[in-house]
Amino acid sequence: DDAHLPTPISWYCPDGPQQRRSMMVKMGLPASKLIAPCNGVRFKQLSAGGEHSLALSNDGVVYAWGCPWEGRLGRPPPYEFVAVPTRVPLEPTCVRVSAGEFSSLALTADGDVYSWGQCGTGFDKQRTTPTLIKSLAPATLGSAVVGIYCGSEAEHSIVITADGRAFKLDAKGSCDPVQLNGKAVEAAVG
């Protein structure tokens, strides 16, 4: 019953570069702001990243808010701080989101993974709008992705497939199996 879901709360942590903190003050935004669901939208998942947050609505729509730098909110420039959850331009129904330091990931109901931002996106260049990671398609991997995890203070993200394989997305555009001592890492799925 989604009537008992908490209202998401978001605040800006002024640990970022001084220019970002100054810009926030000039815009007149408070250091702490209560964010209520938009127009009755209910969220089933939240993910806090580096100076931005993501939310997934009950109907599979992705929302983002916070600092927009590096494209992490899924919108192209001009970059402006977003104080309330705002819909990310992503059409497929999503089942999971993950916010990282500079990037964001979304997993669709079909097992596709979309990324945007910089670092840990599986692309060698910044993406300002959600972009399908073709190398993670279920047909390519032979198994659907079931878990997505953005890194914090890191330049990589990890995805887990239904058959337990782990893949690393990095800032150089690669998507490689995770290995430990030369052997592929397998994760418990379920």
Side-chain angles (χ1 to χ4, degrees), residues 52 97-106 113-123 133 136 145 147-160 166-178:
H52 78 293
V97 293
S98 183
E101 183 69 19
F102 305 109
S103 60
S104 300
L105 293 176
V113 179
Y114 285 79
S115 70
W116 59 97
Q118 181 177 333
C119 303
T121 62
F123 296 105
I133 304 175
L136 293 178
V145 171
I148 54 175
Y149 310 93
C150 280
S152 177
E153 295 293 331
E155 294 188 355
H156 71 280
S157 297
I158 302 288
V159 300
I160 306 293
F167 292 87
K168 177 182 81 159
L169 307 171
D170 69 17
K172 297 175 184 163
S174 68
C175 173
D176 300 314
V178 175

Side-chain angles (χ1 to χ4, degrees), residues 134-150:
K134 294 178 183 176
S135 59
L136 293 178
T140 303
L141 295 178
S143 181
V145 171
V146 294
I148 54 175
Y149 310 93
C150 280

